[in-house]
Amino acid sequence: MKLAFNLTAEMVPLTYVEALLGMAEERGIERGTLLAAARLRPDLLAHANGRLAFGDFHRLVGTLLQRCTEPALGLEFGRRLNISTHGILGYAVLSSANLGKAIQFALRYYRVLGLAFELELVEDGERVELRACESVPLGMVARFAAESLLASLFSIACFLVGEELSGLQVGFAHAAPPHAARYAEVFGVPVAFDQPWHWLSLPRTYLDRPMALANPATVQMCEQQCQALLANLEVQDGLLARVRRLLLSRPGEFPDLDSAARALHTSGRSLRRHLAQLGTSYQQVLDDVRKRLALEYLANTQLPMFEIAGLLGFSDPSNFRRAFKKWTGRLPSDFRTESGGRSRLRSHCWTGSATRRQSPDPSRVRPDSGSGRNWHRW
């Protein structure tokens, strides 16, 4: 079941907050000063349930980014989030039978950590790929959040298997930042940018790696607590996720706002208002879906530009070229040339459930659900 996001729910563990404040202090920014600038009372950190509202944490991170000159702050933060900082979920992962079971547990209950991402695991032949897409617009903290998420996942995976990961591949949805070289230092491999989503890919054999501290009783206890935490969050299926799934189900024939609202059993006015409350708009969501699909089509198919334009709902390839340049700062042909060696982009669409209009030559379009790929979503 897909769970949505509540910006005011107390979701973010205080261990994350303490790690962030510790980094700030190491860089000469006193915690009291940072909390005051973020309009947060110090007593919030002594809350009985040991959590901070996501909106408050988002504001704290944004305030630190404005005051800190370290460009790779997200990567550094992620490396500090070891397995113990993730609380009850971390203990469950540590006590799982093998890495595959640990990942399955994490994907079922990661919402208890207040992550602003939707995560899914895709098995593709001899490899597995963990994908992450923003579940709410993150604005200026988007890159920080993605860096910290993948850096933390990577560090924890290395800890669980007891060695550096062989055959690792990594990609980020954002453009290469000025500090791109730092990514290779953290992950130990070249990193791809401008991807349809954020991802980590590993050889499938790692899933069977046994955990040294496996304990079924501990996992069962942790699961009960995670279920209680999720129930207390009172989250429901997310509006953004439903809008995105709707758009992905109709490639080339994207509905307008009123048609989308009817399909979602609401009014256009209500849909517009709720998206605005999430800091976005229907056009922004549509453009984001188109951009992600465009990146995938260009990097992983040989479809001609006019077919890609049609699949994205553009009546003229020139309109697609202008839109793509607006989204990425590059022409589609330049991106395709640059990504020519990046064959590792997966063949399925963003959520794995989208249908798409067939090309005159089906062999040139990536296969659908019959391809043998297994999708794991919780």
Side-chain angles (χ1 to χ4, degrees):
M1 180 176 65
K2 192 176 293 199
L3 298 173
F5 218 73
N6 186 337
L7 296 179
T8 61
E10 291 165 340
M11 304 172 72
V12 181
L14 289 187
T15 50
Y16 290 14
V17 181
E18 289 298 333
L20 191 73
L21 293 174
M23 281 203 319
E25 288 181 318
E26 290 174 8
R27 288 163 175 77
I29 304 173
E30 295 183 358
R31 70 165 49 205
T33 301
L34 185 61
L35 290 171
R39 304 190 304 282
L40 294 177
R41 303 189 315 274
D43 62 287
L44 287 175
L45 305 188
H47 200 287
N49 70 5
R51 290 173 179 269
L52 189 69
F54 174 81
D56 291 336
F57 185 70
H58 183 283
R59 191 165 65 251
L60 183 64
V61 171
T63 303
L64 178 58
L65 290 176
Q66 292 175 339
R67 286 163 171 73
C68 182
T69 58
E70 168 56 63
L73 202 64
L75 294 173
E76 293 300 319
F77 181 63
R79 295 173 75 177
R80 292 178 182 229
L81 298 182
N82 56 40
I83 202 158
S84 64
T85 61
H86 300 298
I88 195 67
L89 185 62
Y91 289 119
V93 165
L94 190 62
S95 303
S96 296
N98 55 44
L99 184 61
K101 296 291 186 182
I103 293 174
Q104 288 178 11
F105 191 98
L107 288 174
R108 281 198 299 272
Y109 296 110
Y110 69 89
R111 294 287 184 183
V112 303
L113 300 178
L115 300 182
F117 292 92
E118 291 180 13
L119 304 180
E120 61 188 355
L121 185 70
V122 182
E123 296 182 22
D124 185 3
E126 296 304 312
R127 298 191 67 82
V128 292
E129 180 173 291
L130 183 64
R131 297 176 176 176
C133 290
E134 290 180 20
S135 55
V136 293
L138 293 175
M140 66 175 291
V141 307
R143 191 178 70 196
F144 171 93
E147 289 179 347
S148 59
L149 174 67
L150 293 199
S152 179
L153 291 174
F154 167 69
S155 298
I156 290 173
C158 290
F159 173 78
L160 291 176
V161 302
E163 62 184 50
E164 291 297 316
L165 299 175
S166 176
L168 174 73
Q169 296 176 337
V170 187
F172 286 86
H174 53 255
H179 61 283
R182 299 280 290 278
Y183 286 69
E185 295 174 7
V186 170
F187 296 102
V189 295
V191 172
F193 295 97
D194 289 315
Q195 302 292 288
W197 45 74
H198 311 293
W199 53 267
L200 287 172
S201 175
L202 295 169
R204 196 185 185 285
T205 53
Y206 275 111
L207 296 184
D208 299 323
R209 288 288 186 94
M211 300 290 102
L213 300 177
N215 188 322
T218 299
V219 173
Q220 184 178 13
M221 178 198 69
C222 292
E223 183 159 25
Q224 292 172 351
Q225 295 191 38
C226 285
Q227 288 173 345
L229 282 171
L230 283 181
N232 289 335
L233 292 177
E234 298 179 346
V235 291
Q236 299 175 344
D237 191 24
L239 177 64
L240 277 180
R242 287 187 287 135
V243 173
R244 286 166 174 161
R245 285 200 301 273
L246 174 66
L247 293 173
L248 284 165
S249 70
R250 305 179 183 185
E253 299 176 355
F254 298 115
D256 59 21
L257 184 141
D258 289 329
S259 298
R262 285 194 295 272
L264 296 171
H265 308 292
T266 186
S267 67
R269 187 174 183 178
S270 178
L271 178 58
R272 184 182 294 108
R273 182 177 69 253
H274 286 303
L275 289 174
Q277 290 172 349
L278 291 173
T280 188
S281 68
Y282 183 74
Q283 187 61 50
Q284 286 177 306
V285 177
L286 174 58
D287 285 345
D288 187 51
V289 168
R290 282 172 158 173
K291 174 187 173 183
R292 291 172 187 267
L293 289 176
L295 292 171
E296 191 183 357
Y297 290 144
L298 290 168
N300 203 39
T301 78
Q302 295 302 314
L303 290 173
M305 293 296 175
F306 78 89
E307 288 192 26
I308 294 178
L311 287 169
L312 299 177
F314 292 97
S315 59
D316 189 292
S318 61
N319 293 334
F320 166 56
R321 283 194 293 271
R322 283 193 291 270
F324 189 86
K325 188 169 184 180
K326 178 182 177 182
W327 297 331
T328 68
R330 286 174 289 175
L331 293 173
S333 55
D334 293 337
F335 176 82
R336 170 167 274 175
T337 299
E338 293 168 7
S339 62
R342 272 188 241 151
S343 60
R344 61 133 324 280
L345 268 178
R346 293 298 180 251
S347 66
H348 272 277
C349 200
W350 188 12
T351 66
S353 59
T355 58
R356 64 171 63 106
R357 192 173 62 192
Q358 289 294 320
S359 161
D361 179 2
S363 66
R364 287 156 53 197
V365 182
R366 293 181 299 277
D368 285 325
S369 58
S371 64
R373 292 177 174 83
N374 297 317
W375 290 74
H376 299 271
R377 305 196 67 161
W378 289 268

